[in-house]
Amino acid sequence: MTLPSLFVAHGSPMLALEDNGYTRFLENLGQELPTPEAIAVFSAHWDTPDQSFSVDESHDTMHDFYGFPEEMYELRYPAPGSAKLSQRIGQLFEAGNLPNQPVRGRGLDHGAWVVLQKMYPDANIPVVELSVDSRRSPAEQYAIGAMLTELRRQDVLIVGSGGLVHNLRLIGQSGGEADPWAVEFDDWVTEQLESWKINELFEYAKKAPHARQAVPSYGSEHFIPLFYAMGAADDDRQAKRLFQDYQYGNLSLNCWMFGS
């Protein structure tokens, strides 16, 4: 069995407590996908120039946010780690001549656990978290994801967790219609993904409408997990959008599946 890879928006940390169309979608997605043996998740909230990955037997839950209700800080997602998967990830990075750093004791940040808490609430599937590097080119990010392609044939679910439109300086405080510029940017990304136009996507900063608003220079780390997840499906270049919505006017909640 070959699992797909996923790009999943983690939105606001409050998704952990919310019950809405997107959270219900994530809950259903976890039930509809074949149950993975383990999960490897690239998180926007671990941005480092050294390609890092967790090697813990069990994970603490990081509450790497502030100003939220006290209930948020009481949530725990005690997923186990996987020594087997961590070791294989290191081997694949070595085979790809990618300098890498195993990390112990960091815990799962909210980019990882908020999504996984909805998809796999029992926290019984081993998780290895991986960093992203916003200083690398999209082509390099894609290539790093491609180093892990074989894991999908070994019942490992590869997830990129971030957000295609994620500019906290522009979000609104009320509901209502999505901002047109955010929709136009997402529509452009959709067109490229559905045709797997990776060269166009690699040039998104120059070619996509409203790219500076959707992916600000200070915040590209939320967009780039897309490339890691795509790269992991380089052997089966198919893309399908599973969900699309917005919160606060332009914070996009989207999920893409790559590979068949």
PDB file of all heavy atoms in Angstrom, residues 210-243:
ATOM      1  N   HIS A 210      -1.023  38.731  -5.816  1.00  0.00           N
ATOM      2  CA  HIS A 210      -1.088  39.061  -4.389  1.00  0.00           C
ATOM      3  C   HIS A 210      -0.143  38.206  -3.531  1.00  0.00           C
ATOM      4  O   HIS A 210      -0.413  37.973  -2.351  1.00  0.00           O
ATOM      5  CB  HIS A 210      -2.528  38.920  -3.867  1.00  0.00           C
ATOM      6  CG  HIS A 210      -3.551  39.522  -4.760  1.00  0.00           C
ATOM      7  ND1 HIS A 210      -3.655  40.884  -4.978  1.00  0.00           N
ATOM      8  CD2 HIS A 210      -4.519  38.942  -5.529  1.00  0.00           C
ATOM      9  CE1 HIS A 210      -4.643  41.123  -5.830  1.00  0.00           C
ATOM     10  NE2 HIS A 210      -5.175  39.963  -6.175  1.00  0.00           N
ATOM     11  N   ALA A 211       0.955  37.752  -4.122  1.00  0.00           N
ATOM     12  CA  ALA A 211       1.871  36.866  -3.399  1.00  0.00           C
ATOM     13  C   ALA A 211       2.440  37.541  -2.153  1.00  0.00           C
ATOM     14  O   ALA A 211       2.618  36.890  -1.119  1.00  0.00           O
ATOM     15  CB  ALA A 211       3.000  36.409  -4.319  1.00  0.00           C
ATOM     16  N   ARG A 212       2.726  38.828  -2.219  1.00  0.00           N
ATOM     17  CA  ARG A 212       3.312  39.514  -1.062  1.00  0.00           C
ATOM     18  C   ARG A 212       2.348  39.597   0.107  1.00  0.00           C
ATOM     19  O   ARG A 212       2.766  39.595   1.265  1.00  0.00           O
ATOM     20  CB  ARG A 212       3.777  40.913  -1.463  1.00  0.00           C
ATOM     21  CG  ARG A 212       5.000  40.926  -2.378  1.00  0.00           C
ATOM     22  CD  ARG A 212       5.487  42.336  -2.608  1.00  0.00           C
ATOM     23  NE  ARG A 212       6.681  42.365  -3.449  1.00  0.00           N
ATOM     24  CZ  ARG A 212       7.335  43.465  -3.780  1.00  0.00           C
ATOM     25  NH1 ARG A 212       6.909  44.649  -3.335  1.00  0.00           N
ATOM     26  NH2 ARG A 212       8.412  43.410  -4.553  1.00  0.00           N
ATOM     27  N   GLN A 213       1.063  39.692  -0.204  1.00  0.00           N
ATOM     28  CA  GLN A 213       0.071  39.713   0.866  1.00  0.00           C
ATOM     29  C   GLN A 213      -0.158  38.315   1.432  1.00  0.00           C
ATOM     30  O   GLN A 213      -0.260  38.128   2.645  1.00  0.00           O
ATOM     31  CB  GLN A 213      -1.252  40.272   0.335  1.00  0.00           C
ATOM     32  CG  GLN A 213      -1.187  41.744  -0.039  1.00  0.00           C
ATOM     33  CD  GLN A 213      -2.247  42.106  -1.054  1.00  0.00           C
ATOM     34  OE1 GLN A 213      -2.107  41.812  -2.232  1.00  0.00           O
ATOM     35  NE2 GLN A 213      -3.321  42.750  -0.589  1.00  0.00           N
ATOM     36  N   ALA A 214      -0.240  37.322   0.546  1.00  0.00           N
ATOM     37  CA  ALA A 214      -0.543  35.959   0.974  1.00  0.00           C
ATOM     38  C   ALA A 214       0.632  35.312   1.690  1.00  0.00           C
ATOM     39  O   ALA A 214       0.447  34.598   2.683  1.00  0.00           O
ATOM     40  CB  ALA A 214      -0.935  35.114  -0.239  1.00  0.00           C
ATOM     41  N   VAL A 215       1.831  35.560   1.183  1.00  0.00           N
ATOM     42  CA  VAL A 215       3.048  34.964   1.744  1.00  0.00           C
ATOM     43  C   VAL A 215       4.029  36.101   2.021  1.00  0.00           C
ATOM     44  O   VAL A 215       4.904  36.392   1.214  1.00  0.00           O
ATOM     45  CB  VAL A 215       3.674  33.933   0.788  1.00  0.00           C
ATOM     46  CG1 VAL A 215       4.822  33.197   1.478  1.00  0.00           C
ATOM     47  CG2 VAL A 215       2.628  32.941   0.292  1.00  0.00           C
ATOM     48  N   PRO A 216       3.882  36.781   3.133  1.00  0.00           N
ATOM     49  CA  PRO A 216       4.753  37.929   3.422  1.00  0.00           C
ATOM     50  C   PRO A 216       6.205  37.500   3.589  1.00  0.00           C
ATOM     51  O   PRO A 216       6.490  36.336   3.934  1.00  0.00           O
ATOM     52  CB  PRO A 216       4.179  38.478   4.735  1.00  0.00           C
ATOM     53  CG  PRO A 216       3.516  37.307   5.380  1.00  0.00           C
ATOM     54  CD  PRO A 216       2.950  36.499   4.247  1.00  0.00           C
ATOM     55  N   SER A 217       7.089  38.421   3.353  1.00  0.00           N
ATOM     56  CA  SER A 217       8.526  38.108   3.420  1.00  0.00           C
ATOM     57  C   SER A 217       8.926  37.590   4.794  1.00  0.00           C
ATOM     58  O   SER A 217       9.860  36.797   4.919  1.00  0.00           O
ATOM     59  CB  SER A 217       9.347  39.347   3.061  1.00  0.00           C
ATOM     60  OG  SER A 217       9.052  40.418   3.957  1.00  0.00           O
ATOM     61  N   TYR A 218       8.226  38.020   5.825  1.00  0.00           N
ATOM     62  CA  TYR A 218       8.563  37.580   7.183  1.00  0.00           C
ATOM     63  C   TYR A 218       7.876  36.264   7.553  1.00  0.00           C
ATOM     64  O   TYR A 218       8.103  35.746   8.649  1.00  0.00           O
ATOM     65  CB  TYR A 218       8.154  38.641   8.205  1.00  0.00           C
ATOM     66  CG  TYR A 218       6.668  38.893   8.263  1.00  0.00           C
ATOM     67  CD1 TYR A 218       5.835  38.105   9.050  1.00  0.00           C
ATOM     68  CD2 TYR A 218       6.081  39.903   7.503  1.00  0.00           C
ATOM     69  CE1 TYR A 218       4.469  38.320   9.088  1.00  0.00           C
ATOM     70  CE2 TYR A 218       4.723  40.123   7.535  1.00  0.00           C
ATOM     71  CZ  TYR A 218       3.916  39.333   8.323  1.00  0.00           C
ATOM     72  OH  TYR A 218       2.570  39.543   8.338  1.00  0.00           O
ATOM     73  N   GLY A 219       7.050  35.715   6.649  1.00  0.00           N
ATOM     74  CA  GLY A 219       6.243  34.580   7.038  1.00  0.00           C
ATOM     75  C   GLY A 219       6.119  33.478   6.005  1.00  0.00           C
ATOM     76  O   GLY A 219       5.098  32.799   5.943  1.00  0.00           O
ATOM     77  N   SER A 220       7.163  33.244   5.194  1.00  0.00           N
ATOM     78  CA  SER A 220       7.054  32.209   4.160  1.00  0.00           C
ATOM     79  C   SER A 220       7.071  30.799   4.729  1.00  0.00           C
ATOM     80  O   SER A 220       6.737  29.835   4.038  1.00  0.00           O
ATOM     81  CB  SER A 220       8.196  32.362   3.152  1.00  0.00           C
ATOM     82  OG  SER A 220       9.454  32.141   3.761  1.00  0.00           O
ATOM     83  N   GLU A 221       7.443  30.660   6.008  1.00  0.00           N
ATOM     84  CA  GLU A 221       7.545  29.317   6.584  1.00  0.00           C
ATOM     85  C   GLU A 221       6.209  28.575   6.582  1.00  0.00           C
ATOM     86  O   GLU A 221       6.163  27.344   6.622  1.00  0.00           O
ATOM     87  CB  GLU A 221       8.097  29.385   8.013  1.00  0.00           C
ATOM     88  CG  GLU A 221       7.138  29.856   9.075  1.00  0.00           C
ATOM     89  CD  GLU A 221       6.875  31.353   9.045  1.00  0.00           C
ATOM     90  OE1 GLU A 221       7.710  32.098   8.472  1.00  0.00           O
ATOM     91  OE2 GLU A 221       5.841  31.799   9.589  1.00  0.00           O
ATOM     92  N   HIS A 222       5.087  29.309   6.498  1.00  0.00           N
ATOM     93  CA  HIS A 222       3.801  28.625   6.476  1.00  0.00           C
ATOM     94  C   HIS A 222       3.439  28.121   5.084  1.00  0.00           C
ATOM     95  O   HIS A 222       2.685  27.152   4.958  1.00  0.00           O
ATOM     96  CB  HIS A 222       2.692  29.538   7.017  1.00  0.00           C
ATOM     97  CG  HIS A 222       2.593  29.505   8.499  1.00  0.00           C
ATOM     98  ND1 HIS A 222       3.493  30.170   9.311  1.00  0.00           N
ATOM     99  CD2 HIS A 222       1.732  28.862   9.330  1.00  0.00           C
ATOM    100  CE1 HIS A 222       3.173  29.942  10.579  1.00  0.00           C
ATOM    101  NE2 HIS A 222       2.117  29.154  10.609  1.00  0.00           N
ATOM    102  N   PHE A 223       3.959  28.748   4.062  1.00  0.00           N
ATOM    103  CA  PHE A 223       3.680  28.311   2.691  1.00  0.00           C
ATOM    104  C   PHE A 223       4.546  27.120   2.287  1.00  0.00           C
ATOM    105  O   PHE A 223       4.091  26.203   1.601  1.00  0.00           O
ATOM    106  CB  PHE A 223       3.904  29.477   1.727  1.00  0.00           C
ATOM    107  CG  PHE A 223       3.507  29.180   0.305  1.00  0.00           C
ATOM    108  CD1 PHE A 223       2.179  29.225  -0.078  1.00  0.00           C
ATOM    109  CD2 PHE A 223       4.456  28.864  -0.652  1.00  0.00           C
ATOM    110  CE1 PHE A 223       1.803  28.952  -1.388  1.00  0.00           C
ATOM    111  CE2 PHE A 223       4.099  28.600  -1.962  1.00  0.00           C
ATOM    112  CZ  PHE A 223       2.765  28.641  -2.339  1.00  0.00           C
ATOM    113  N   ILE A 224       5.782  27.102   2.706  1.00  0.00           N
ATOM    114  CA  ILE A 224       6.746  26.144   2.157  1.00  0.00           C
ATOM    115  C   ILE A 224       6.516  24.686   2.540  1.00  0.00           C
ATOM    116  O   ILE A 224       6.995  23.800   1.807  1.00  0.00           O
ATOM    117  CB  ILE A 224       8.193  26.556   2.500  1.00  0.00           C
ATOM    118  CG1 ILE A 224       8.420  26.582   4.014  1.00  0.00           C
ATOM    119  CG2 ILE A 224       8.518  27.888   1.859  1.00  0.00           C
ATOM    120  CD1 ILE A 224       9.863  26.851   4.403  1.00  0.00           C
ATOM    121  N   PRO A 225       5.794  24.341   3.626  1.00  0.00           N
ATOM    122  CA  PRO A 225       5.518  22.914   3.810  1.00  0.00           C
ATOM    123  C   PRO A 225       4.818  22.280   2.613  1.00  0.00           C
ATOM    124  O   PRO A 225       4.873  21.062   2.428  1.00  0.00           O
ATOM    125  CB  PRO A 225       4.635  22.895   5.060  1.00  0.00           C
ATOM    126  CG  PRO A 225       5.090  24.095   5.847  1.00  0.00           C
ATOM    127  CD  PRO A 225       5.341  25.133   4.790  1.00  0.00           C
ATOM    128  N   LEU A 226       4.169  23.117   1.789  1.00  0.00           N
ATOM    129  CA  LEU A 226       3.573  22.630   0.547  1.00  0.00           C
ATOM    130  C   LEU A 226       4.613  21.924  -0.306  1.00  0.00           C
ATOM    131  O   LEU A 226       4.361  20.846  -0.871  1.00  0.00           O
ATOM    132  CB  LEU A 226       2.968  23.804  -0.223  1.00  0.00           C
ATOM    133  CG  LEU A 226       2.412  23.489  -1.613  1.00  0.00           C
ATOM    134  CD1 LEU A 226       1.121  22.702  -1.495  1.00  0.00           C
ATOM    135  CD2 LEU A 226       2.184  24.786  -2.403  1.00  0.00           C
ATOM    136  N   PHE A 227       5.808  22.509  -0.433  1.00  0.00           N
ATOM    137  CA  PHE A 227       6.831  21.929  -1.312  1.00  0.00           C
ATOM    138  C   PHE A 227       7.387  20.623  -0.750  1.00  0.00           C
ATOM    139  O   PHE A 227       7.667  19.678  -1.492  1.00  0.00           O
ATOM    140  CB  PHE A 227       7.952  22.939  -1.547  1.00  0.00           C
ATOM    141  CG  PHE A 227       7.503  24.168  -2.273  1.00  0.00           C
ATOM    142  CD1 PHE A 227       7.716  25.431  -1.734  1.00  0.00           C
ATOM    143  CD2 PHE A 227       6.848  24.078  -3.485  1.00  0.00           C
ATOM    144  CE1 PHE A 227       7.300  26.573  -2.394  1.00  0.00           C
ATOM    145  CE2 PHE A 227       6.412  25.213  -4.165  1.00  0.00           C
ATOM    146  CZ  PHE A 227       6.644  26.461  -3.615  1.00  0.00           C
ATOM    147  N   TYR A 228       7.541  20.556   0.556  1.00  0.00           N
ATOM    148  CA  TYR A 228       8.006  19.309   1.154  1.00  0.00           C
ATOM    149  C   TYR A 228       6.989  18.189   0.913  1.00  0.00           C
ATOM    150  O   TYR A 228       7.355  17.054   0.575  1.00  0.00           O
ATOM    151  CB  TYR A 228       8.232  19.499   2.656  1.00  0.00           C
ATOM    152  CG  TYR A 228       9.402  20.396   3.005  1.00  0.00           C
ATOM    153  CD1 TYR A 228       9.226  21.772   3.142  1.00  0.00           C
ATOM    154  CD2 TYR A 228      10.671  19.879   3.200  1.00  0.00           C
ATOM    155  CE1 TYR A 228      10.283  22.609   3.472  1.00  0.00           C
ATOM    156  CE2 TYR A 228      11.744  20.703   3.535  1.00  0.00           C
ATOM    157  CZ  TYR A 228      11.541  22.062   3.664  1.00  0.00           C
ATOM    158  OH  TYR A 228      12.602  22.886   3.984  1.00  0.00           O
ATOM    159  N   ALA A 229       5.702  18.497   1.094  1.00  0.00           N
ATOM    160  CA  ALA A 229       4.661  17.488   0.885  1.00  0.00           C
ATOM    161  C   ALA A 229       4.562  17.092  -0.585  1.00  0.00           C
ATOM    162  O   ALA A 229       4.378  15.905  -0.910  1.00  0.00           O
ATOM    163  CB  ALA A 229       3.317  18.015   1.392  1.00  0.00           C
ATOM    164  N   MET A 230       4.673  18.051  -1.498  1.00  0.00           N
ATOM    165  CA  MET A 230       4.661  17.731  -2.922  1.00  0.00           C
ATOM    166  C   MET A 230       5.843  16.844  -3.293  1.00  0.00           C
ATOM    167  O   MET A 230       5.701  15.858  -4.027  1.00  0.00           O
ATOM    168  CB  MET A 230       4.713  19.007  -3.758  1.00  0.00           C
ATOM    169  CG  MET A 230       3.464  19.834  -3.777  1.00  0.00           C
ATOM    170  SD  MET A 230       3.649  21.249  -4.896  1.00  0.00           S
ATOM    171  CE  MET A 230       3.620  20.424  -6.497  1.00  0.00           C
ATOM    172  N   GLY A 231       7.017  17.207  -2.800  1.00  0.00           N
ATOM    173  CA  GLY A 231       8.200  16.433  -3.133  1.00  0.00           C
ATOM    174  C   GLY A 231       8.070  14.981  -2.715  1.00  0.00           C
ATOM    175  O   GLY A 231       8.550  14.076  -3.411  1.00  0.00           O
ATOM    176  N   ALA A 232       7.400  14.746  -1.604  1.00  0.00           N
ATOM    177  CA  ALA A 232       7.220  13.377  -1.124  1.00  0.00           C
ATOM    178  C   ALA A 232       6.360  12.540  -2.066  1.00  0.00           C
ATOM    179  O   ALA A 232       6.347  11.313  -1.966  1.00  0.00           O
ATOM    180  CB  ALA A 232       6.609  13.396   0.270  1.00  0.00           C
ATOM    181  N   ALA A 233       5.647  13.191  -2.986  1.00  0.00           N
ATOM    182  CA  ALA A 233       4.841  12.490  -3.987  1.00  0.00           C
ATOM    183  C   ALA A 233       5.398  12.700  -5.389  1.00  0.00           C
ATOM    184  O   ALA A 233       4.664  12.610  -6.378  1.00  0.00           O
ATOM    185  CB  ALA A 233       3.387  12.955  -3.916  1.00  0.00           C
ATOM    186  N   ASP A 234       6.697  12.941  -5.492  1.00  0.00           N
ATOM    187  CA  ASP A 234       7.309  13.200  -6.795  1.00  0.00           C
ATOM    188  C   ASP A 234       7.192  11.995  -7.727  1.00  0.00           C
ATOM    189  O   ASP A 234       7.245  12.148  -8.943  1.00  0.00           O
ATOM    190  CB  ASP A 234       8.780  13.573  -6.614  1.00  0.00           C
ATOM    191  CG  ASP A 234       9.453  13.964  -7.915  1.00  0.00           C
ATOM    192  OD1 ASP A 234       9.021  14.961  -8.526  1.00  0.00           O
ATOM    193  OD2 ASP A 234      10.397  13.253  -8.342  1.00  0.00           O
ATOM    194  N   ASP A 235       7.034  10.799  -7.169  1.00  0.00           N
ATOM    195  CA  ASP A 235       6.907   9.605  -7.998  1.00  0.00           C
ATOM    196  C   ASP A 235       5.496   9.414  -8.538  1.00  0.00           C
ATOM    197  O   ASP A 235       5.258   8.535  -9.365  1.00  0.00           O
ATOM    198  CB  ASP A 235       7.308   8.364  -7.181  1.00  0.00           C
ATOM    199  CG  ASP A 235       6.417   8.154  -5.964  1.00  0.00           C
ATOM    200  OD1 ASP A 235       5.807   9.143  -5.490  1.00  0.00           O
ATOM    201  OD2 ASP A 235       6.334   7.015  -5.483  1.00  0.00           O
ATOM    202  N   ASP A 236       4.553  10.237  -8.098  1.00  0.00           N
ATOM    203  CA  ASP A 236       3.154  10.084  -8.493  1.00  0.00           C
ATOM    204  C   ASP A 236       2.520  11.463  -8.484  1.00  0.00           C
ATOM    205  O   ASP A 236       1.782  11.828  -7.568  1.00  0.00           O
ATOM    206  CB  ASP A 236       2.436   9.134  -7.536  1.00  0.00           C
ATOM    207  CG  ASP A 236       1.018   8.803  -7.982  1.00  0.00           C
ATOM    208  OD1 ASP A 236       0.630   9.203  -9.090  1.00  0.00           O
ATOM    209  OD2 ASP A 236       0.301   8.149  -7.208  1.00  0.00           O
ATOM    210  N   ARG A 237       2.791  12.231  -9.485  1.00  0.00           N
ATOM    211  CA  ARG A 237       2.499  13.661  -9.487  1.00  0.00           C
ATOM    212  C   ARG A 237       1.024  13.953  -9.737  1.00  0.00           C
ATOM    213  O   ARG A 237       0.621  14.397 -10.806  1.00  0.00           O
ATOM    214  CB  ARG A 237       3.371  14.370 -10.516  1.00  0.00           C
ATOM    215  CG  ARG A 237       4.855  14.275 -10.208  1.00  0.00           C
ATOM    216  CD  ARG A 237       5.684  15.024 -11.226  1.00  0.00           C
ATOM    217  NE  ARG A 237       7.060  15.176 -10.808  1.00  0.00           N
ATOM    218  CZ  ARG A 237       7.948  15.964 -11.417  1.00  0.00           C
ATOM    219  NH1 ARG A 237       7.586  16.687 -12.472  1.00  0.00           N
ATOM    220  NH2 ARG A 237       9.181  16.033 -10.976  1.00  0.00           N
ATOM    221  N   GLN A 238       0.232  13.703  -8.721  1.00  0.00           N
ATOM    222  CA  GLN A 238      -1.185  14.015  -8.767  1.00  0.00           C
ATOM    223  C   GLN A 238      -1.543  14.846  -7.547  1.00  0.00           C
ATOM    224  O   GLN A 238      -1.050  14.576  -6.448  1.00  0.00           O
ATOM    225  CB  GLN A 238      -2.021  12.736  -8.781  1.00  0.00           C
ATOM    226  CG  GLN A 238      -1.765  11.841  -9.968  1.00  0.00           C
ATOM    227  CD  GLN A 238      -2.675  10.626  -9.971  1.00  0.00           C
ATOM    228  OE1 GLN A 238      -3.910  10.748  -9.985  1.00  0.00           O
ATOM    229  NE2 GLN A 238      -2.096   9.450  -9.946  1.00  0.00           N
ATOM    230  N   ALA A 239      -2.401  15.837  -7.756  1.00  0.00           N
ATOM    231  CA  ALA A 239      -2.810  16.711  -6.665  1.00  0.00           C
ATOM    232  C   ALA A 239      -4.334  16.832  -6.656  1.00  0.00           C
ATOM    233  O   ALA A 239      -4.957  17.004  -7.703  1.00  0.00           O
ATOM    234  CB  ALA A 239      -2.178  18.090  -6.809  1.00  0.00           C
ATOM    235  N   LYS A 240      -4.898  16.750  -5.466  1.00  0.00           N
ATOM    236  CA  LYS A 240      -6.348  16.887  -5.319  1.00  0.00           C
ATOM    237  C   LYS A 240      -6.644  17.743  -4.100  1.00  0.00           C
ATOM    238  O   LYS A 240      -6.173  17.452  -3.002  1.00  0.00           O
ATOM    239  CB  LYS A 240      -6.999  15.510  -5.151  1.00  0.00           C
ATOM    240  CG  LYS A 240      -8.521  15.563  -5.009  1.00  0.00           C
ATOM    241  CD  LYS A 240      -9.117  14.169  -4.850  1.00  0.00           C
ATOM    242  CE  LYS A 240     -10.633  14.220  -4.715  1.00  0.00           C
ATOM    243  NZ  LYS A 240     -11.207  12.867  -4.533  1.00  0.00           N
ATOM    244  N   ARG A 241      -7.420  18.803  -4.298  1.00  0.00           N
ATOM    245  CA  ARG A 241      -7.826  19.643  -3.179  1.00  0.00           C
ATOM    246  C   ARG A 241      -8.989  18.983  -2.462  1.00  0.00           C
ATOM    247  O   ARG A 241     -10.016  18.688  -3.059  1.00  0.00           O
ATOM    248  CB  ARG A 241      -8.214  21.041  -3.656  1.00  0.00           C
ATOM    249  CG  ARG A 241      -8.443  22.006  -2.500  1.00  0.00           C
ATOM    250  CD  ARG A 241      -8.570  23.435  -2.973  1.00  0.00           C
ATOM    251  NE  ARG A 241      -9.816  23.676  -3.680  1.00  0.00           N
ATOM    252  CZ  ARG A 241     -10.178  24.859  -4.189  1.00  0.00           C
ATOM    253  NH1 ARG A 241      -9.349  25.896  -4.071  1.00  0.00           N
ATOM    254  NH2 ARG A 241     -11.317  25.005  -4.823  1.00  0.00           N
ATOM    255  N   LEU A 242      -8.825  18.779  -1.168  1.00  0.00           N
ATOM    256  CA  LEU A 242      -9.847  18.114  -0.374  1.00  0.00           C
ATOM    257  C   LEU A 242     -10.726  19.087   0.391  1.00  0.00           C
ATOM    258  O   LEU A 242     -11.865  18.750   0.723  1.00  0.00           O
ATOM    259  CB  LEU A 242      -9.188  17.148   0.624  1.00  0.00           C
ATOM    260  CG  LEU A 242      -8.283  16.060   0.040  1.00  0.00           C
ATOM    261  CD1 LEU A 242      -7.733  15.186   1.165  1.00  0.00           C
ATOM    262  CD2 LEU A 242      -9.020  15.222  -0.992  1.00  0.00           C
ATOM    263  N   PHE A 243     -10.194  20.279   0.682  1.00  0.00           N
ATOM    264  CA  PHE A 243     -10.963  21.246   1.474  1.00  0.00           C
ATOM    265  C   PHE A 243     -10.417  22.637   1.223  1.00  0.00           C
ATOM    266  O   PHE A 243      -9.215  22.830   1.026  1.00  0.00           O
ATOM    267  CB  PHE A 243     -10.858  20.920   2.967  1.00  0.00           C
ATOM    268  CG  PHE A 243     -11.821  21.709   3.820  1.00  0.00           C
ATOM    269  CD1 PHE A 243     -13.069  21.196   4.129  1.00  0.00           C
ATOM    270  CD2 PHE A 243     -11.481  22.959   4.319  1.00  0.00           C
ATOM    271  CE1 PHE A 243     -13.972  21.916   4.902  1.00  0.00           C
ATOM    272  CE2 PHE A 243     -12.370  23.691   5.093  1.00  0.00           C
ATOM    273  CZ  PHE A 243     -13.620  23.167   5.392  1.00  0.00           C
TER     274      PHE A 243
END
